[in-house]
């Protein structure tokens, strides 16, 4: 049995979600290969070769993979899939883009966002916004799976996999890269941060998010937002935590002015410690919080920032 894991990277460094996905692959069992598709990504390949549990790093280095367009990556993965029993990718925006295409081309059912491995063909995944866990068994010859990174520990980086170059070039000719706009910040990213402080509709406006930033600067934390806050225009989309935003599981999650809608809880309830600040003592967020403070956030947050 062989497993192919698709690496998440930016041609300069490997993304943390790849390490969690490798852990899932190792739990399934068998030989684990890692596919690295990009351009001028030799440094990433060296980094990937150190992941414990990986047998081979397959490198497809070509300009058609420079921006990992879903149409091109899916063709490459589909072509390689014939040699594997399982194909895994992180359930990131990128993984959610190309993996359904792979499943459709292979004429198999995708198993999305698994959080646990039961056996080689049976997995657990959240449904109903995380309110229930479904145990899913696949009888498909090739299992196409996306992995929710928060469900698995990161693999160690003390391995010594071999690196092999692929000469396959799969250009679908259906799309082209136009541009990308990356938000620059000195704070850690939401999906990799150990501490996150998020604001909800209770923040009142975008300017009040400065209160959270003062706390974040002292804790070295990332700043997030609920969907309600994003929809209200208080924060940009890339700050959204929740089922339709980013799924996070930091060591500490501080929810400020967030009522605790199911959609938001689905994205952060796996956090190790949850602290909630809300003036409504009946807010659902207190049901999942380890520590709760019933207080006006405009009094509590400045006091917290001052005390740090």
């Amino acid at each position: 049995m062989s497993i192919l894991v698709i690496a998440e990277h930016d041609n300069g460094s490997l993304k943390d979600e790849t390490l969690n996905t490798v852990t899932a692959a190792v739990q399934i069992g068998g030989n684990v290969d890692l596919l690295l598709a990009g351009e001028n990504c030799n440094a990433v390949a060296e980094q990937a070769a150190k992941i414990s549990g990986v047998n081979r790093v397959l490198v497809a280095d070509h300009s058609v993979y420079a921006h990992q367009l879903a149409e091109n990556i899916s063709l490459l993965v589909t072509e390689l899939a014939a040699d594997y029993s399982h194909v895994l990718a992180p359930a990131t925006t990128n993984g959610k883009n190309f993996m359904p295409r792979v499943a459709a081309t292979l004429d198999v059912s995708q198993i999305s966002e698994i959080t646990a491995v039961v056996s080689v063909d049976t997995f657990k995944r959240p449904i109903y916004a995380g309110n229930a866990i479904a145990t899913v068994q696949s009888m498909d010859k090739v299992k196409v799976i996306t992995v929710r990174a928060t469900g698995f520990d990161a693999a160690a980086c003390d391995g010594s996999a071999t690196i092999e170059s692929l000469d396959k070039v799969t250009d679908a000719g259906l799309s082209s890269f136009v541009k990308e706009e990356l938000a620059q910040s000195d704070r850690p990213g939401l999906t990799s941060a150990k501490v996150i402080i998020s604001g909800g509709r209770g923040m009142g406006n975008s300017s009040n998010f400065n209160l959270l930033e003062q706390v974040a600067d002292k804790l070295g934390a990332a700043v997030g937002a609920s969907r309600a806050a994003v929809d209200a225009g208080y924060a940009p989309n890339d700050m959204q935590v929740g089922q339709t935003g980013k799924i996070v599981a930091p060591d500490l999650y501080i929810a400020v002015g967030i009522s605790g809608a199911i959609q938001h809880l689905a994205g952060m309830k796996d956090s190790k410690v949850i602290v909630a600040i809300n003036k409504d003592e009946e807010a659902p967020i207190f049901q999942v919080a380890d520590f709760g403070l019933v207080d006006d956030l405009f009094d509590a947050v400045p006091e917290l920032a001052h005390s740090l």
Side-chain angles (χ1 to χ4, degrees), residues 168-193:
K168 299 179 183 296
V169 178
T170 53
D171 186 357
L174 299 174
S175 61
S176 60
F177 177 77
V178 178
K179 67 175 182 177
E180 63 184 355
E181 296 180 7
L182 301 176
Q184 300 296 324
S185 175
D186 294 331
R187 299 190 183 92
L190 277 171
T191 55
S192 61

Side-chain angles (χ1 to χ4, degrees), residues 70 73-75 77-79 81 87-89 95-112 138 140-146:
I73 296 294
S74 61
L75 287 178
V77 174
T78 301
E79 193 171 331
V87 178
L88 275 63
K96 292 176 181 178
N97 194 6
F98 72 82
M99 285 294 273
R101 301 169 189 264
V102 173
T105 305
L106 293 173
D107 194 25
V108 300
S109 299
Q110 177 178 304
I111 305 174
S112 302
S138 171
D140 290 324
K141 182 179 179 180
V142 179
K143 280 75 171 172
V144 176
I145 301 167
T146 59

Side-chain angles (χ1 to χ4, degrees), residues 3 16-17 19 36 49 100 109 119 141 159 185 202 228 247 255 266 282 285 292:
I3 302 170
D16 292 340
E17 292 87 349
L19 303 179
L36 184 68
S109 299
S119 67
K141 182 179 179 180
S185 175
I247 307 296
E282 301 297 328
I285 190 70

Side-chain angles (χ1 to χ4, degrees), residues 1-8 17-29 31-35 77 81 84-92 95 98-99 102 110-111 113-114 116-117 120 123 142-148 152:
M1 184 170 62
S2 298
I3 302 170
L4 181 66
V5 174
I6 317 303
E8 182 90 7
E17 292 87 349
T18 302
L19 303 179
N20 306 92
T21 305
V22 169
T23 296
V26 170
Q27 290 183 13
I28 295 172
N31 293 323
V32 178
D33 291 345
L34 189 72
L35 172 63
V77 174
Y84 295 92
S85 59
H86 299 70
V87 178
L88 275 63
T92 58
F98 72 82
M99 285 294 273
V102 173
Q110 177 178 304
I111 305 174
E113 300 201 38
I114 67 166
V117 174
V120 296
F123 312 90
V142 179
K143 280 75 171 172
V144 176
I145 301 167
T146 59
V147 177
R148 181 173 288 192
F152 299 89

Side-chain angles (χ1 to χ4, degrees), residues 190-209:
L190 277 171
T191 55
S192 61
K194 300 298 184 183
V195 181
I196 297 174
I197 181 168
S198 290
R201 192 192 303 272
M203 298 303 298
N205 58 56
S206 58
S207 298
N208 289 331
F209 267 76

Side-chain angles (χ1 to χ4, degrees), residues 11-301:
N11 291 318
S13 63
L14 203 65
K15 299 301 181 182
D16 292 340
E17 292 87 349
T18 302
L19 303 179
N20 306 92
T21 305
V22 169
T23 296
V26 170
Q27 290 183 13
I28 295 172
N31 293 323
V32 178
D33 291 345
L34 189 72
L35 172 63
L36 184 68
E39 184 181 29
N40 299 324
C41 52
N42 290 332
V44 188
E46 294 291 341
Q47 185 181 354
K50 296 178 181 178
I51 302 176
S52 180
V54 174
N55 182 44
R56 296 185 301 166
V57 177
L58 308 178
V59 182
D61 193 325
H62 195 277
S63 59
V64 300
Y65 305 127
H67 302 286
Q68 295 160 52
L69 299 177
E71 292 82 359
N72 297 345
I73 296 294
S74 61
L75 287 178
L76 174 63
V77 174
T78 301
E79 193 171 331
L80 295 173
D83 297 326
Y84 295 92
S85 59
H86 299 70
V87 178
L88 275 63
T92 58
T93 301
N94 191 38
K96 292 176 181 178
N97 194 6
F98 72 82
M99 285 294 273
R101 301 169 189 264
V102 173
T105 305
L106 293 173
D107 194 25
V108 300
S109 299
Q110 177 178 304
I111 305 174
S112 302
E113 300 201 38
I114 67 166
T115 56
V117 174
V118 178
S119 67
V120 296
D121 62 2
T122 307
F123 312 90
K124 292 187 176 182
R125 61 178 300 269
I127 59 174
Y128 302 131
N131 283 304
I133 301 297
T135 300
V136 182
Q137 184 178 34
S138 171
M139 305 304 290
D140 290 324
K141 182 179 179 180
V142 179
K143 280 75 171 172
V144 176
I145 301 167
T146 59
V147 177
R148 181 173 288 192
T150 56
F152 299 89
D153 294 331
C157 292
D158 54 4
S160 55
T162 59
I163 300 176
E164 298 182 13
S165 296
L166 298 177
D167 57 4
K168 299 179 183 296
V169 178
T170 53
D171 186 357
L174 299 174
S175 61
S176 60
F177 177 77
V178 178
K179 67 175 182 177
E180 63 184 355
E181 296 180 7
L182 301 176
Q184 300 296 324
S185 175
D186 294 331
R187 299 190 183 92
L190 277 171
T191 55
S192 61
K194 300 298 184 183
V195 181
I196 297 174
I197 181 168
S198 290
R201 192 192 303 272
M203 298 303 298
N205 58 56
S206 58
S207 298
N208 289 331
F209 267 76
N210 290 331
L211 298 174
L212 306 186
E213 292 171 356
Q214 294 173 23
V215 176
D217 289 340
K218 293 189 176 183
L219 293 177
V223 178
S226 69
R227 178 173 179 172
V230 171
D231 288 348
Y234 302 166
N237 289 332
D238 60 1
M239 286 175 57
Q240 183 176 323
V241 173
Q243 184 183 16
T244 55
K246 292 182 171 66
I247 307 296
V248 300
D251 293 336
L252 173 62
Y253 188 88
I254 305 173
V256 180
I258 295 176
S259 63
I262 290 175
Q263 190 276 140
H264 186 75
L265 298 182
M268 46 65 72
K269 66 180 181 180
D270 290 331
S271 303
K272 292 181 174 61
V273 177
I274 300 173
V275 176
I277 301 174
N278 199 300
K279 65 181 180 181
D280 178 9
E281 62 182 16
E282 301 297 328
I285 190 70
F286 289 120
Q287 296 178 15
V288 299
D290 298 286
F291 300 94
L293 175 61
V294 180
D295 198 356
D296 189 320
L297 70 87
F298 297 106
D299 295 328
V301 176

